[in-house]
Amino acid sequence: MSTTNQALQAWVEEVARLTRPDRIHWCDGSEAEYRGLVELMLGNGDLVALNQETHPNCYLHRSSPTDVARTEHLTFICTQDREDAGPNNNWIAPDEAHAKIDSLFDGCMQGRTLYVVPYCMGPIDSPLSRCGVEITDSPYVVANMRIMTRMGAAALARIEREGGFVKGLHSTGDLSPERRFIMHFPEELTIKSIGSGYGGNALLGKKCHALRIGSWQARSEGWLAEHMLIVGIENPQGETHYVAAAFPSACGKTNLAMLIPPATMPGWKVWTVGDDIAWLHLREDGRLWAINPEAGFFGVAPGTGAKTNRNALEMLDRDTIFTNVAVTADQQPWWEGKNKDQTPVIDWKGNPFDAAKGPAAHPNSRFTVSAKQCASVSPRIDDPAGVPISAIVFGGRRAELAPLVFQARDWKHGVLVGASVASETTAAATGAVGVVRRDPMAMQPFCGYNFADYWGHWLSFADKSDKLPKIFHVNWFRQDADGQFMWPGFGENLRVLKWILERCAGQAEAVDTPIGPMPRAEDIDTASLDVSPETLEALLSIDAGRWQAELEDIRTYFAKYGEHMPRGLWEEFERTRIALEKARSAETA
Ligand code: SAT
Ligand code: MN
């Protein structure tokens, strides 16, 4: 008996009977255990040592070339009633799903070690945290889970104290996409994943638990599990306000979370609480408080450079696991956008680099690193109470249409703004890149239940408090006629966050537009900013005709949710539609 929790013990035994591993290892999360796993993987080729002088304790993992991103078409929500999964999810009935995936798990761990990985999502002593146990046959997954979560003895002790936990069963199987499934059983608080060893498909604490199962738990318990970074913005007066922001995968959440204020904004500081996931709870004070359920960053490597994200670059020179990056002649990790003075010699597949065959690092190559290594890490990251959120920001990657920033009229309108998010697809998921798709709250791949019910859950907060965060929408990715980005982005985004926080404090001006209040050019702090007044003007204007077309697209999208659509969302939709119509007739009058 390795745990006093009978349900856990019974489940481990049941899984072992099905998968037939050679050994069972209960992870304690110790340094010695981690070293042992690294040695094992260096021996079997799962890891390659990087230059230990320039990058101590840094290693490279090359995943199977057909296993390099989340596979949304192989990801399922298995609820008794199909309606509960909604049109936003692939669905299979639970019985059928279990039968299908268990047949793949049958005997799959023969010759391998079964690792039992107890973990806690969130600060180990926070009442807002939730625990899980991942069973996996991948030492790479165990090593990553140790960085990404509070993993090991302390988590097991909490599970033994509290009883409940989310079950996650994972095997790399034969890594074949034909036998790959990522299945969620929210009613059983269970995840089963086979055939992938990559990121969100395999590190089950992340998207599978903290978002898909988490969003389900959040609805039943009255909180929100969101695909949001959490960042503290300290003004020159020394006051820190917290912002939670939702952007689709690979749209710059990590960069925003670690933003370095431009030299032209002295006295400002930015504190990183999280870069990917936020769990938000309404407290007695009427405010929404957020914790980051993760303990590390699984960030996109390409594009991470001294100019774009110096904090990230600097935390990656020790104790980091890289996945699918390239290497230089002296075994340093390399990716596009990292450093012009270095050249890649071996590409992400382990072959001599040939520029004609594509990028050296895979576009979705990643680093796994402890949050503690980030120079801007917030002193509140382990605070069991979390941090109070002043503003919620939604955004997407839109070359056209969406202005630099606008504000929602109120919480309910903010839910419409979030539900209407659309973004160009990125390399974070398999499939075409650069196609605009609707991605409500940046949760399209991650909401574990019917989106319409989820929007209803969001709307329900409006009546619970009058101190909720203000809601905004930003777009850093607007392009001009020549395809050039119009806004410099990165550190300069702080100017937009400054306006946002001033709005929250009731200090900044805005003009009303049909889509919500928007700053005039003079409301944004543009001291020493290298953007022409005409460009700023264009970034802060809306085209009512094109927004009308956008709204029709949103109508078509919402209509798919039929009866489940909350009335409140249609009401907000109508409000915006009428405002646009008025603006349009004023234009043409
Ligand atoms: O692969 S993950 O889902 O963990 C990363 C992401 O897409 O955000
Ligand atoms: Mn993400």
Side-chain angles (χ1 to χ4, degrees):
M1 177 104 170
S2 303
T3 172
T4 56
N5 184 308
Q6 307 244 322
L8 175 54
Q9 184 67 28
W11 176 57
V12 171
E13 284 168 13
E14 180 196 318
V15 168
R17 271 194 303 277
L18 175 66
T19 58
R20 300 197 291 286
D22 282 11
R23 281 165 301 275
I24 297 183
H25 176 95
W26 288 72
C27 296
D28 60 15
S30 64
E31 179 67 33
E33 178 180 81
Y34 183 76
R35 295 274 13 127
L37 288 164
V38 167
E39 290 306 320
L40 176 83
M41 289 188 279
L42 288 171
N44 70 13
D46 270 357
L47 287 186
V48 177
L50 292 167
N51 186 324
Q52 294 299 300
E53 255 156 52
T54 57
H55 290 75
N57 295 316
C58 288
Y59 304 96
L60 165 63
H61 172 73
R62 294 193 181 104
S63 74
S64 160
T66 56
D67 184 30
V68 292
R70 276 181 291 100
T71 40
E72 293 173 12
H73 60 293
L74 304 174
T75 301
F76 294 83
I77 299 294
C78 311
T79 46
Q80 294 295 339
D81 184 348
R82 185 180 193 143
E83 294 272 296
D84 287 332
N88 47 309
N89 283 301
N90 300 316
W91 175 86
I92 310 184
D95 287 351
E96 195 189 329
H98 281 301
K100 189 169 185 154
I101 202 162
D102 285 355
S103 71
L104 297 172
F105 277 114
D106 195 354
C108 74
M109 295 191 190
Q110 289 173 79
R112 301 188 191 180
T113 300
L114 179 160
Y115 297 93
V116 183
V117 186
Y119 62 86
C120 177
M121 298 311 287
I124 194 81
D125 50 356
S126 170
L128 313 182
S129 301
R130 293 289 180 276
C131 289
V133 178
E134 174 165 358
I135 293 179
T136 179
D137 56 8
S138 161
Y140 166 80
V141 166
V142 179
N144 276 270
M145 286 292 284
R146 182 169 181 270
I147 299 174
M148 294 304 298
T149 71
R150 281 90 171 167
M151 182 273 257
L156 183 60
R158 179 164 171 169
I159 290 169
E160 291 180 339
R161 222 166 41 238
E162 290 182 344
F165 62 97
V166 170
K167 292 178 189 162
L169 172 55
H170 168 257
S171 170
T172 47
D174 64 5
L175 288 176
S176 137
E178 284 76 54
R179 283 174 292 281
R180 179 179 302 160
F181 293 102
I182 299 93
M183 293 177 166
H184 305 72
F185 304 86
E187 288 142 334
E188 305 165 38
L189 301 183
T190 295
I191 305 151
K192 292 185 177 180
S193 164
I194 193 163
S196 167
Y198 173 81
N201 289 344
L203 313 178
L204 301 187
K206 199 174 180 51
K207 306 296 163 112
C208 299
H209 177 164
L211 289 178
R212 299 199 189 95
I213 299 288
S215 59
W216 180 284
Q217 271 186 308
R219 177 182 48 165
S220 57
E221 297 172 7
W223 48 281
L224 296 165
E226 299 301 326
H227 192 204
M228 291 177 177
L229 66 93
I230 309 166
V231 71
I233 313 282
E234 185 179 328
N235 64 22
Q237 294 77 52
E239 302 154 350
T240 304
H241 298 279
Y242 294 88
V243 174
F247 303 95
S249 299
C251 286
K253 284 203 301 298
T254 305
N255 293 344
L256 187 61
M258 295 172 195
L259 181 149
I260 296 179
T264 47
M265 292 180 76
W268 289 81
K269 288 192 189 124
V270 169
W271 300 106
T272 312
V273 182
D275 80 328
D276 196 39
I277 301 176
W279 283 357
L280 303 152
H281 289 253
L282 195 59
R283 288 254 297 270
E284 318 73 56
D285 64 357
R287 300 193 67 184
L288 269 189
W289 290 68
I291 59 164
N292 170 14
E294 301 190 285
F297 308 119
F298 182 67
V300 179
T304 306
K307 286 223 176 71
T308 61
N309 192 341
R310 181 158 45 82
N311 281 333
L313 194 65
E314 283 172 2
M315 72 183 173
L316 301 179
D317 55 17
R318 65 184 171 94
D319 300 288
T320 303
I321 299 175
F322 292 92
T323 303
N324 294 342
V325 299
V327 289
T328 62
D330 63 346
Q331 284 292 106
Q332 296 195 46
W334 192 91
W335 50 83
E336 279 68 19
K338 185 193 177 203
N339 183 341
K340 282 203 208 69
D341 304 332
Q342 295 179 325
T343 40
V345 167
I346 304 292
D347 73 9
W348 65 275
K349 290 183 185 162
N351 299 324
F353 173 56
D354 174 358
K357 290 189 179 149
H362 187 276
N364 193 37
S365 56
R366 300 270 173 164
F367 52 77
T368 317
V369 65
S370 165
K372 297 270 149 64
Q373 283 179 219
C374 183
S376 61
V377 68
S378 166
R380 306 273 298 265
I381 194 162
D382 283 321
D383 193 330
V387 294
I389 299 297
S390 300
I392 287 177
V393 178
F394 292 114
R397 192 182 272 275
R398 296 294 298 260
E400 298 175 3
L401 190 81
L404 181 61
V405 58
F406 66 94
Q407 184 180 356
R409 291 180 291 266
D410 55 21
W411 179 269
K412 284 189 174 160
H413 180 226
V415 178
L416 173 68
V417 170
S420 306
V421 167
S423 188
E424 292 153 23
T425 51
T426 68
T430 43
V433 168
V435 190
V436 175
R437 78 161 181 184
R438 303 235 78 89
D439 193 350
M441 280 81 173
M443 284 285 278
Q444 166 54 47
F446 308 122
C447 182
Y449 63 103
N450 191 316
F451 250 151
D453 299 337
Y454 165 84
W455 300 321
H457 180 49
W458 263 83
L459 286 170
S460 74
F461 283 77
D463 307 325
K464 292 188 188 141
S465 168
D466 53 10
K467 296 195 189 63
L468 293 170
K470 304 264 183 290
I471 299 180
F472 299 81
H473 185 283
V474 300
N475 177 22
W476 317 133
F477 301 95
R478 206 45 192 272
Q479 292 176 17
D480 63 19
D482 304 326
Q484 300 295 315
F485 287 114
M486 295 163 73
W487 177 251
F490 303 107
E492 306 296 352
N493 291 339
L494 182 58
R495 297 172 190 273
V496 176
L497 293 175
K498 181 177 176 226
W499 178 79
I500 285 174
L501 289 172
E502 285 166 358
R503 285 296 287 173
C504 294
Q507 292 159 356
E509 296 294 320
V511 278
D512 277 324
T513 82
I515 61 168
M518 216 161 65
R520 298 159 304 176
E522 62 263 40
D523 298 320
I524 301 273
D525 177 351
T526 50
S528 320
L529 177 68
D530 190 17
V531 173
S532 74
E534 302 76 51
T535 303
L536 197 60
E537 210 49 65
L539 280 165
L540 292 173
S541 59
I542 63 155
D543 178 331
R546 298 194 63 182
W547 271 95
Q548 281 182 312
E550 174 82 357
L551 226 63
E552 286 316 307
D553 191 60
I554 294 167
R555 185 206 297 282
T556 310
Y557 176 75
F558 283 171
K560 291 193 199 132
Y561 291 85
E563 293 291 287
H564 277 256
M565 270 304 280
R567 221 190 38 222
L569 205 55
W570 279 128
E571 284 165 11
E572 289 305 322
F573 178 93
E574 273 306 298
R575 222 161 266 155
T576 301
R577 193 188 63 75
I578 290 165
L580 282 167
E581 209 168 75
K582 275 199 193 133
R584 213 35 211 302
S585 40
E587 256 173 42
T588 46

